[in-house]
Amino acid sequence: MNSAPIWFGQQQYLDHFNTQPTQVKAGSQDLDTHKRYLCTKLCSVYKFKLPGNWPVNWFRFWLFQYGSIAVIYTKEFGWTAQPYSITGIDLYYQPSSILVTNHMFRTDKKGKIGVNAQLIHLMDDYYGLDDLVGKYASILAQIDKDIQVNLMNANVSVVSQVKSKKQGDSVAEAYGQATQGRPFVIVNEDLMKDKPLETLLPSPKQNYIVGELLQARRNVVNQFLTDVGIPNYNMDKKAQQNDREIAENDDETKAIASVILENLQDDFEKLRAISGLDISVSLRPTYSKERNDNGKTDPSRDVPA
């Protein structure tokens, strides 16, 4: 086993190609748009209280994109949150020592977990949620593409048989004027004689499924919200529903969010013990719903750090 630490640049390279395949392979603007949207949704679940000199966007990026971030003490900057590489593991194969590099440090910083460093992580395997975000973003990007194609196919295309290019140009000009809203179009009396326009794609309304695709898009977003811990309603417009049948999926939404919150709170407690930092995390009140005595959801209760 090679225990030599890898450089921060090397780890960035490996993370980029191993844990973020969608960013490398897809190259779709729609995919990137949906990833940014879903990442924002994911980050909105948790409320962090951090030291004033820690940029929250920096902290959230490394934590949610890559799964973890290290907090280490330095003489130059005190306690600081930084990406890291693992240099040692303990009896249970948990990280025990780390190495942190930064262009502002005079030298590389060595950290011992529980002494002068602590890792803040989301999942038990220390991975981020980019795979989950990428999965749903790719589905949403495909639905957007399908919507665009279906809208294009909904256009009523017509064909007309002509004997010459000149006659064809005249028919095209007349059709263009008519479709642009001109109320009175004059053509040669023989131009359209016994040659009615025919629809190239008959019954375009039967092929129009934009409504179904938009509903599918909402279902995909709701499933993502369920997976990351954001309460939402299971809506299906194919069947009529009343208030009783619209069931809120509270139990499902608590799955991943509960694991993440427990890991974060445990790490923050350990960090406070060795650093004295005033740092905490909680679910935002909107996402920490509790049932009251009437069976209704009460969004006013927050989960303590």
Side-chain angles (χ1 to χ4, degrees):
M1 177 178 177
N2 185 3
S3 60
I6 64 174
W7 290 357
F8 171 52
Q10 292 175 311
Q11 181 156 325
Q12 277 190 312
Y13 179 90
L14 292 175
D15 287 341
H16 184 66
F17 283 93
N18 290 335
T19 66
Q20 300 191 50
T22 51
Q23 290 183 348
V24 178
K25 297 178 182 179
S28 167
Q29 182 176 358
D30 288 339
L31 178 62
D32 292 339
T33 298
H34 286 299
K35 290 195 71 172
R36 292 179 67 246
Y37 167 74
L38 296 179
C39 281
T40 302
K41 283 284 190 181
L42 174 60
C43 293
S44 70
V45 178
Y46 304 92
K47 182 178 180 181
F48 293 96
K49 183 178 182 182
L50 303 175
N53 61 337
W54 291 8
V56 66
N57 62 329
W58 163 267
F59 186 86
R60 285 195 299 225
F61 171 77
W62 284 100
L63 185 59
F64 287 98
Q65 195 84 355
Y66 291 94
S68 64
I69 189 170
V71 179
I72 189 170
Y73 181 79
T74 65
K75 293 182 179 179
E76 302 97 322
F77 302 98
W79 290 94
T80 178
Q82 297 290 324
Y84 67 96
S85 59
I86 298 173
T87 58
I89 55 178
D90 63 14
L91 176 64
Y92 298 101
Y93 292 87
Q94 302 298 305
S96 61
S97 58
I98 61 173
L99 182 71
V100 174
T101 62
N102 189 292
H103 66 287
M104 298 294 291
F105 293 164
R106 298 190 189 97
T107 60
D108 295 344
K109 305 301 180 183
K110 296 180 180 180
K112 186 172 181 60
I113 304 301
V115 179
N116 67 330
Q118 178 60 45
L119 298 184
I120 310 297
H121 71 290
L122 296 179
M123 306 297 289
D124 292 344
D125 57 7
Y126 286 79
Y127 277 86
L129 296 175
D130 183 72
D131 55 346
L132 185 67
V133 171
K135 167 190 171 183
Y136 283 102
S138 63
I139 297 175
L140 292 174
Q142 182 62 50
I143 292 177
D144 282 354
K145 180 181 178 181
D146 294 342
I147 290 175
Q148 294 172 9
V149 171
N150 194 246
L151 287 172
M152 181 180 65
N153 291 338
N155 294 328
V156 180
S157 302
V158 297
V159 295
S160 176
Q161 299 179 8
V162 297
K163 294 181 179 180
S164 64
K165 184 178 183 301
K166 181 179 180 181
Q167 188 179 20
D169 292 340
S170 298
V171 173
E173 182 180 359
Y175 181 76
Q177 293 178 2
T179 55
Q180 291 175 11
R182 188 165 180 173
F184 186 63
V185 180
I186 299 176
V187 297
N188 187 287
E189 64 177 346
D190 296 327
L191 184 62
M192 304 296 294
K193 188 176 181 180
D194 299 327
K195 295 181 179 64
L197 296 177
E198 298 179 0
T199 303
L200 183 60
L201 298 175
S203 304
K205 187 176 181 180
Q206 295 181 2
N207 299 322
Y208 185 81
I209 58 171
V210 172
E212 288 83 350
L213 291 172
L214 289 174
Q215 180 59 39
R217 188 180 188 278
R218 284 189 289 268
N219 291 341
V220 171
V221 172
N222 281 346
Q223 185 59 51
F224 173 81
L225 298 180
T226 297
D227 285 348
V228 301
I230 301 179
N232 60 90
Y233 291 91
N234 291 323
M235 299 292 294
D236 186 356
K237 291 189 175 181
K238 292 182 179 180
Q240 293 182 348
Q241 295 176 318
N242 54 38
D243 291 340
R244 280 188 175 181
E245 294 169 332
I246 302 176
E248 194 176 17
N249 48 354
D250 288 345
D251 292 337
E252 288 186 79
T253 60
K254 293 178 181 178
I256 291 182
S258 297
V259 172
I260 291 177
L261 185 64
E262 289 175 3
N263 286 333
L264 290 177
Q265 290 180 337
D266 183 58
D267 290 339
F268 277 26
E269 182 179 356
K270 293 176 181 177
L271 178 59
R272 287 194 297 266
I274 63 174
S275 68
L277 292 174
D278 185 12
I279 185 171
S280 63
V281 60
S282 63
L283 292 180
R284 294 185 184 276
T286 306
Y287 307 130
S288 59
K289 292 187 176 183
E290 298 287 346
R291 294 284 182 181
N292 60 26
D293 295 337
N294 297 324
K296 302 293 185 180
T297 55
D298 179 12
S300 62
R301 298 185 59 184
D302 203 354
V303 177

